[in-house]
Amino acid sequence: MTRAPRLGRWGVVPAAVLAAAVQAADFHVAIDGSNASGDGSPGNPWATIDFAIDQVASGDRILVGPGTYNGRSRLDREFDPPVTILAEPRYRARLQHDGGAAIVVFTGRNIIVEGFEITHAPGNTGALVVQVQDLLGAFNGSNGGTDPVVSGIVFRDNIIHTSTNNDLLKINNGVEDVLVQGNLFYDQSGSDEHIDINSVIGVTVEDNVFFNTSARPDTSSFIVVKDSNGTSDTVQGVQDVTIRRNVFLNWNGSGGQSFVRFGEDGTAFYETDGAVLENNLMLGNSSDLMRSSLTVQGSNEILVRNNTVVGDLPSRSFAGRLIAGGANMPNANLVLTQNVWSDPTGTMGAEAFTGVDLFDAPAGQTASALLEANLYFNGGNAIPSDTDQALRFADDASPVVADPLLPDNTALIPPTWNGTQFADGSTSIREVFQRLVADYGTPAAGSPAIDAGDPLLSSPEDILGRLRGDAPDLGAVETNGIDLLFADGFENQ
């Protein structure tokens, strides 16, 4: 099957495409607009995004005014170049639904959703807040799917929160090329996730903030990457997933889950077959127990580099859980390098197990994994080591064992949105993100993480998108990085 075109070099819509969108027409949606008599002009706007998406042409923008819009927005048209649906001013247009997802994309292509607050209406009983799945080139059981498939979907700079049932964002069933960039996620519901990436190809999750606000003992990992339905759609095994430059904090969820999880359902094929987890900041500022900061189950070709995990998570295994269950093949071709794992409280996984290693990696469940050149700190205590595990701290031939001099995060305030600003005083998601990185992820001068990395193993840029250079730091933050201006418009400061 011929694949749809990929997004740009950095996982964003190419600048030339964005320029084409700017040159096209702007149309307006407002709370007091009319689909019957409106023409989409500023003085005579339409009433709903649903109606507007059916009127505009490729490259146009739909500008949505402030207020609460009740109901489902179906974004089910194909465009080239993309159509942008933009809240003006940002975060003042609230999209909510009392019967499930507030936004669905089932047959759409090349659509950008930017600047909204998206949530469930109080008392909602339907599942999911946002869903993207492929019914455009859907698998028909005889000759596979047809091109094009649902693709080129971008969610940027949105506040997606407070599900009353299931995931905040589900991307599933054969979708390709989705960018989730610069959003703020909090409070999923039930045994589900902030983002469920399920049976798809080409998803990039970058520059986002993930947290929960209160005890949610049944909720699952913040991000899960898996394939629950095998050959029932056009994709078997999630491929080409990048999770980079995100901040995870304030764990409130199941004691058996993780910030990020690859694989979950015990299938006979690799549920995740090719993924990168890099330049993420994971903050252990909650008292709720998690299983581990990372779980890899029945997956292949997973690169984990330049992440910073810091704080008293607390957890059963601090760095990772590497398992195979059900019909899974053992994990294969895992690489973990240039990371910082630091628990200044000196417990490092001892909250639940005695003698646990950094990794819960039962024998026979991981076929091949490389652990190389990471930094470890356990508050001055010995790094946990268990000879029964298939991957152990002792397998790192060039470890740095020292205090990375990272700031204390126990007084961190989760940056919830109150309608006018975030709880930390920020006025934008990007400001929230940069504050978290500056206040809790940046090592102090003299840190042994500074200039201790290997340029051949490190990510070329850091969590803020700054170039690392020839003497890279360990962990997510490059203290002497070179600022860039990205095509997505995020200026790194």
Side-chain angles (χ1 to χ4, degrees):
M1 159 176 179
T2 303
R3 298 297 180 193
R6 296 287 185 205
L7 299 177
R9 164 67 177 85
W10 296 101
V12 300
V13 178
V17 173
L18 291 177
V22 171
Q23 293 166 6
D26 285 350
F27 294 93
H28 296 261
V29 169
I31 286 294
D32 57 357
S34 171
N35 292 340
S37 61
D39 59 13
S41 64
N44 194 17
W46 296 314
T48 65
I49 295 171
D50 240 15
F51 184 82
I53 200 78
D54 287 335
Q55 315 308 313
V56 300
S58 295
D60 288 344
R61 296 196 307 172
I62 300 170
L63 307 180
V64 182
T68 298
Y69 296 80
N70 289 291
R72 174 169 292 164
S73 295
R74 294 183 178 273
L75 311 183
D76 281 338
R77 283 188 63 203
E78 299 178 64
F79 300 99
D80 187 13
V83 158
T84 297
I85 306 169
L86 176 65
E88 285 199 334
R90 288 176 185 269
Y91 318 138
R92 298 305 196 272
R94 177 184 174 109
L95 309 181
Q96 65 179 40
H97 188 37
D98 62 4
I103 294 178
V104 297
V105 187
F106 293 162
T107 59
R109 291 180 61 241
N110 297 325
I111 299 170
I112 301 169
V113 178
E114 184 171 351
F116 290 90
E117 180 185 5
I118 311 171
T119 185
H120 273 157
N124 170 80
T125 57
L128 309 174
V129 176
V130 180
Q131 184 177 16
V132 183
Q133 68 169 328
D134 177 48
L135 298 181
L136 177 64
F139 184 74
N140 65 21
S142 59
N143 61 359
T146 58
D147 269 335
V149 298
V150 170
S151 58
I153 308 302
V154 178
F155 294 97
R156 177 181 294 133
D157 198 25
N158 303 287
I159 304 164
I160 305 174
H161 71 98
T162 316
S163 172
T164 61
N165 184 348
N166 214 282
D167 306 319
L168 294 175
L169 170 60
K170 189 178 187 74
I171 306 168
N172 67 313
N173 289 359
V175 169
E176 299 187 15
D177 295 322
V178 175
L179 174 63
V180 183
Q181 182 186 59
N183 306 279
L184 186 140
F185 293 86
Y186 62 91
D187 290 352
Q188 78 275 47
S189 180
S191 183
D192 294 289
E193 296 82 28
H194 288 179
I195 306 180
D196 183 355
I197 301 170
N198 197 329
S199 194
V200 296
I201 297 175
V203 174
T204 297
V205 179
E206 64 183 18
D207 304 317
N208 305 282
V209 178
F210 299 89
F211 63 95
N212 280 343
T213 63
S214 59
R216 291 171 174 262
D218 299 326
T219 53
S220 191
S221 301
F222 284 0
I223 301 176
V224 66
V225 183
K226 63 181 181 179
D227 188 336
S228 300
N229 59 8
T231 59
S232 65
D233 61 22
T234 56
V235 175
Q236 180 174 293
V238 177
Q239 304 159 46
D240 190 20
V241 169
T242 299
I243 301 171
R244 65 182 175 193
R245 304 196 313 251
N246 302 286
V247 180
F248 301 85
L249 62 138
N250 219 58
W251 175 260
N252 288 288
S254 166
Q257 297 291 341
S258 306
F259 282 133
V260 176
R261 180 169 187 151
F262 297 103
E264 188 174 51
D265 291 331
T267 64
F269 55 88
Y270 290 126
E271 285 190 63
T272 305
D273 195 358
V276 176
L277 180 71
E278 67 180 8
N279 291 315
N280 298 286
L281 174 60
M282 299 181 174
L283 300 174
N285 67 303
S286 167
S287 60
D288 281 13
L289 181 71
M290 67 161 50
R291 189 62 178 80
S292 184
S293 56
L294 168 67
T295 295
V296 181
Q297 177 179 339
S299 295
N300 180 48
E301 297 283 355
I302 310 295
L303 173 60
V304 181
R305 65 177 176 181
N306 284 107
N307 301 286
T308 295
V309 183
V310 57
D312 181 15
L313 288 176
S315 60
R316 290 178 166 90
S317 46
F318 194 86
R321 187 184 189 203
L322 312 179
I323 58 172
N328 282 151
M329 294 181 287
N331 296 308
N333 302 306
L334 312 183
V335 176
L336 302 96
T337 185
Q338 311 298 293
N339 302 287
V340 169
W341 288 299
S342 173
D343 183 351
T345 69
T347 57
M348 211 169 219
E351 288 87 358
F353 293 153
T354 300
V356 67
D357 200 280
L358 279 169
F359 297 93
D360 175 13
Q365 297 185 24
T366 296
S368 53
L370 174 66
L371 183 67
E372 182 173 350
N374 303 282
L375 185 149
Y376 310 83
F377 180 62
N378 192 24
N381 294 332
I383 306 301
S385 182
D386 178 1
T387 57
D388 290 334
Q389 304 304 319
L391 187 67
R392 305 169 46 212
F393 163 64
D395 292 327
D396 192 330
S398 52
V400 176
V401 182
D403 185 351
L405 303 180
L406 290 163
D408 178 78
N409 59 42
T410 55
L412 189 157
I413 299 173
T416 51
W417 172 248
N418 68 8
T420 57
Q421 69 175 18
F422 299 92
D424 66 350
S426 298
T427 58
S428 71
I429 295 171
R430 189 60 181 171
E431 185 180 353
V432 167
F433 184 93
Q434 291 173 326
R435 282 188 175 189
L436 289 168
V437 172
D439 292 348
Y440 304 110
T442 303
S447 167
I450 295 174
D451 296 343
D454 184 334
L456 297 178
L457 298 175
S458 296
S459 168
E461 81 282 340
D462 79 341
I463 190 171
L464 295 174
R466 301 175 301 189
L467 292 178
R468 289 187 179 272
D470 295 332
D473 297 349
L474 296 173
V477 174
E478 183 65 32
T479 54
N480 295 303
I482 301 171
D483 291 339
L484 297 174
L485 179 64
F486 284 101
D488 57 43
F490 285 148
E491 185 173 1
N492 302 291
Q493 300 174 1

